[in-house]
Amino acid sequence: MKGIIFLILISTVMLFAACSKKEEVKDEAKTPENYEKIKGNLKSYSPTKITADISHLTDREKQLIKKLAEVGHLADQIFWKQSCPDAVAVRDSLSKLTDEVSQTYYKYVKVNYGPYDKLDEYNRFVGTGAEKRPAVGGFYPTDLTKEEFEKYLAAHPDQKESLESQYTIVVRDGDKLKAIPYHEAYPEQLEMAKLLDEAAELADEPTFKNYLKLRANALRTDDYFESDMAWMDIRNSNIDFVIGPIENYEDALFNYKAAHEAVIMIKDIEATKQFEKFLSLIPEFQKNLPVDKKLLPTGGVKSEGSQINLVNVAFFGGDCQKGTKTIAASLPNDPKVREAKGGKNSMYINMMTAKFEKIVVPIAKILLDPSIANMADSKCFLSFVTLHEVSHTLGREYVLGKEDLAIRKALQERYTPLEETKADILSMYNHFYLRDKKIYDNEYIKRAMATYIAGLYRSIRFGSESAHGKANLIQLNFLRSKGAITKLPNGKFTFDEKLFFEKVKELANLVLTVQANGDYEQAGQILSQYAVMSDELKAEINLLKDIPRDLDTEYEY
């Protein structure tokens, strides 16, 4: 039935055009069977206007933001092509239909950047095509399988580098596969580069101006190393900007290909100062990791040059805007840049605040035992997210004994959910470390644990097909199976203070070990054992049906 929903929508409009005023058609005869569900799903995204205070910026900085937004909208256009094979076609077809039913589907397609529901395990909800979102996204031929790709690479090793590149799409060329560089596949990149050159003329802060110029060159060549290095040099600019192909989530086949996104950020200097203390602790966090010390990199972890910035979002576009919205980022992803200059951890305060108030607090009131339900705390939510991003910098970047093999590449499509699990669980582990250093007291840690449990259910509702959804399923199922999180006779949840730290440490050790060894098979075992949605868990999530699952955001630019 889902396969003919789109045809039904079009037929409906034609039917209305043909009927006279006297010929009424009953709603139930013309409305697709999943329409009420889609209406409900659309409402599960709470309409939210995201704003950032720019009153303190100069007129040139305000002009600069508008120019950057132009670039961001082009990145958004590219991402529509990358999200899934027919995302653009379905969007454009529905946009021409003006009836209420068609417009509801159109709005939900825009939320999901295509006809596949991110919160419903990427099942198709409108149009004809595959019932599940193709793992190839918009990066490979729609009929390409993992086995065929790997077999082809084995027979054509000279094409391995170009076909596996983060910045190429793969197409069929007769009986061969061919890699097309992004700057050729997406003509928008050249227009983005031109606009970035214009933006650089408006930028007065030297390091930001340099970054914009180098990023323009990167978009023309698909070589992002130099501009990533320059981005790490930006410290004193009121404005920051993430632009280009960044994350690999959309490539569910191999996790190779990077998707376009844009984030315009306004730095909150005073809020940033409160969290800069974490930077000096990064080497200690690394040294204290609960894993065999032989698995740690011999050079330690790069903290000099790393940054923690608290910012307010002025614009999202592309990957970070799809479905569930990002609340923080730890970039760049290039391990060579991280080794040289550390990482930049950006906390999106306005996005985070909206999600905490609209989602985390209501979840805590429904699921947590009354003794801890009021412990959900915005400061703990912020410290958890901040330490999550810091934790992305911890552990190894390359497989032990194979310094030319990045863990990301070794674990392929299993990397991202494992990496998100690592960042989450180490965030909690490092909260305990900060307690031992007398930075946090026991009461703060209790509030952090309560906030964490509510946060697990927040992210599980992203869907079991998303990397973050899988990561939170792993944590919740692991900790519940070990007795660290318990369900009381009243159906509410609490935590076992004595067991919690021990089991957090146990899960952290497991994930760090798998990553260090580049163990693809064991990564799969973790996912198959813990990244599962039980009937009991589905029932618990159903209790949250009246709470928004995420935000439907709009911006001023």
Side-chain angles (χ1 to χ4, degrees):
M1 179 59 73
K2 292 180 182 178
I4 62 170
I5 287 171
F6 190 56
L7 296 177
I8 293 174
L9 290 173
I10 294 175
S11 300
T12 299
V13 177
M14 294 175 67
L15 184 58
F16 276 123
C19 289
S20 68
K21 292 182 179 179
K22 294 181 179 179
E23 293 174 309
E24 296 182 359
V25 180
K26 293 183 178 180
D27 286 347
E28 51 269 23
K30 66 182 178 60
T31 303
E33 65 175 20
N34 72 341
Y35 177 59
E36 291 300 322
K37 177 182 178 181
I38 298 308
K39 279 178 63 178
N41 288 355
L42 183 59
K43 288 180 180 178
S44 72
Y45 286 89
S46 177
T48 306
K49 182 70 176 290
I50 299 294
T51 60
D53 181 11
I54 61 170
S55 61
H56 60 292
L57 300 184
T58 67
D59 288 342
R60 281 174 60 81
E61 285 175 321
K62 292 174 183 177
Q63 293 176 44
L64 174 57
I65 291 174
K66 291 181 179 179
K67 184 64 69 174
L68 297 178
E70 291 182 48
V71 183
H73 283 291
L74 287 170
D76 192 74
Q77 288 180 27
I78 295 175
F79 181 70
W80 271 99
K81 301 176 186 179
Q82 297 176 320
S83 181
C84 73
D86 61 344
V88 174
V90 173
R91 178 199 66 190
D92 291 351
S93 296
L94 284 169
S95 70
K96 299 171 185 176
L97 307 178
T98 58
D99 63 285
E100 182 181 346
V101 173
S102 300
Q103 281 299 301
T104 298
Y105 283 98
Y106 173 59
K107 290 174 184 177
Y108 203 52
V109 164
K110 289 202 297 181
V111 167
N112 287 283
Y113 282 78
Y116 296 98
D117 191 342
K118 189 174 182 179
L119 295 183
D120 186 23
E121 299 182 358
Y122 272 127
N123 285 310
R124 192 177 192 99
F125 60 90
V126 68
T128 57
E131 289 294 301
K132 287 272 191 180
R133 176 186 180 270
V136 298
F139 304 107
Y140 308 89
T142 56
D143 60 346
L144 183 72
T145 65
K146 191 170 186 177
E147 293 72 25
E148 180 191 354
F149 189 77
E150 291 177 334
K151 184 178 179 180
Y152 184 88
L153 290 185
H156 301 84
D158 56 313
Q159 292 184 254
K160 182 178 175 64
E161 182 177 352
S162 63
L163 290 172
E164 289 185 344
S165 168
Q166 292 189 83
Y167 311 120
T168 64
I169 65 169
V170 178
V171 299
R172 293 195 183 279
D173 183 17
D175 60 353
K176 294 184 177 181
L177 296 177
K178 178 182 177 182
I180 301 178
Y182 276 8
H183 70 273
E184 294 179 12
Y186 307 125
E188 294 93 342
Q189 283 194 189
L190 301 183
E191 180 63 21
M192 290 166 66
K194 177 177 176 291
L195 290 172
L196 281 179
D197 284 335
E198 294 174 9
E201 295 302 313
L202 291 168
D204 296 319
E205 202 284 319
T207 59
F208 193 54
K209 177 187 286 285
N210 182 52
Y211 164 68
L212 294 177
K213 290 179 178 179
L214 292 175
R215 203 63 170 181
N217 291 335
L219 286 164
R220 294 184 177 104
T221 63
D222 294 316
D223 184 352
Y224 290 89
F225 178 79
E226 190 176 2
S227 63
D228 277 350
M229 294 284 281
W231 186 64
M232 287 302 302
D233 293 334
I234 302 170
R235 291 181 176 275
N236 300 314
S237 175
N238 290 322
I239 302 168
D240 205 350
F241 190 38
V242 170
I243 187 68
I246 307 294
E247 303 286 4
N248 306 86
Y249 304 128
E250 292 297 300
D251 176 4
L253 196 65
F254 288 106
N255 203 234
Y256 290 160
K257 307 300 179 182
H260 268 269
E261 69 178 27
V263 184
I264 301 175
M265 297 165 276
I266 312 301
K267 189 172 181 179
D268 186 327
I269 296 173
E270 292 305 313
T272 294
K273 290 178 181 178
Q274 299 177 29
F275 283 86
E276 287 180 338
K277 61 189 176 185
F278 288 147
L279 290 174
S280 62
L281 294 171
I282 290 177
E284 292 184 44
F285 289 153
Q286 177 82 342
K287 187 177 180 181
N288 189 55
L289 287 178
V291 69
D292 191 326
K293 301 310 175 189
K294 72 179 182 182
L295 298 180
L296 295 178
T298 55
V301 65
K302 183 72 177 180
S303 61
E304 182 181 353
S306 290
Q307 301 180 43
I308 295 176
N309 294 320
L310 274 73
V311 301
N312 285 295
V313 171
F315 175 82
F316 264 5
D319 193 13
C320 56
Q321 178 69 5
K322 179 178 180 177
T324 51
K325 313 302 182 289
T326 307
I327 57 176
S330 180
L331 298 169
N333 286 323
D334 188 338
K336 293 180 180 178
V337 179
R338 284 189 174 274
E339 285 190 343
K341 295 200 172 185
K344 186 185 291 190
N345 306 284
S346 302
M347 312 297 127
Y348 306 149
I349 303 173
N350 49 355
M351 198 73 74
M352 204 179 302
T353 299
K355 292 202 181 193
F356 179 78
E357 293 174 351
K358 292 188 174 188
I359 303 171
V360 177
V361 170
I363 287 176
K365 289 180 178 178
I366 288 176
L367 288 184
L368 302 189
D369 187 71
S371 63
I372 64 170
N374 291 326
M375 288 186 180
D377 185 284
S378 60
K379 291 181 180 179
C380 293
F381 189 57
L382 177 56
S383 66
F384 173 79
V385 175
T386 302
L387 286 172
H388 166 103
E389 299 303 333
V390 167
S391 295
H392 276 304
T393 68
L394 304 177
R396 300 185 66 88
E397 296 283 358
Y398 294 91
V399 174
L400 181 67
K402 299 179 181 179
E403 299 304 320
D404 60 340
L405 179 59
I407 293 171
R408 177 186 295 272
K409 200 160 191 177
L411 296 185
Q412 298 180 26
E413 81 283 0
R414 296 171 181 172
Y415 169 79
T416 306
L418 265 291
E419 176 62 20
E420 294 302 330
T421 301
K422 182 197 82 172
D424 272 356
I425 207 67
L426 286 182
S427 176
M428 285 309 300
Y429 181 78
N430 286 324
H431 270 80
F432 289 105
Y433 180 73
L434 293 174
R435 179 195 61 184
D436 294 342
K437 290 183 68 68
K438 310 300 183 185
I439 294 175
Y440 292 143
D441 59 21
N442 282 327
E443 186 59 31
Y444 188 91
I445 296 301
K446 288 181 182 179
R447 296 201 305 273
M449 288 189 284
T451 306
Y452 168 72
I453 296 172
L456 288 177
Y457 277 90
R458 175 186 76 89
S459 299
I460 284 170
R461 295 169 82 218
F462 292 169
S464 60
E465 291 298 310
S466 76
H468 291 86
K470 290 177 182 177
N472 283 268
L473 279 170
I474 290 170
Q475 294 165 75
L476 180 61
N477 286 326
F478 183 93
L479 294 175
R480 284 181 68 171
S481 70
K482 302 293 183 177
I485 297 174
T486 57
K487 192 172 186 178
L488 301 174
N490 63 3
K492 307 291 186 177
F493 290 94
T494 190
F495 48 79
D496 186 314
E497 288 185 58
K498 294 181 180 179
L499 273 179
F500 202 89
F501 173 71
E502 178 187 334
K503 298 309 173 183
V504 162
K505 181 178 180 181
E506 185 179 330
L507 179 55
N509 173 272
L510 176 62
V511 174
L512 287 167
T513 301
V514 169
Q515 287 191 326
N517 292 325
D519 194 333
Y520 181 81
E521 295 303 321
Q522 192 172 5
Q525 292 173 17
I526 293 173
L527 287 163
S528 62
Q529 183 174 358
Y530 295 111
V532 292
M533 186 79 73
S534 66
D535 289 339
E536 181 183 12
L537 188 48
K538 289 177 182 177
E540 291 159 3
I541 289 174
N542 190 54
L543 297 174
L544 310 175
K545 61 181 180 298
D546 294 328
I547 298 173
R549 295 177 81 175
D550 210 75
L551 311 178
D552 182 10
T553 53
E554 60 175 311
Y555 310 91
E556 294 183 16
Y557 300 96

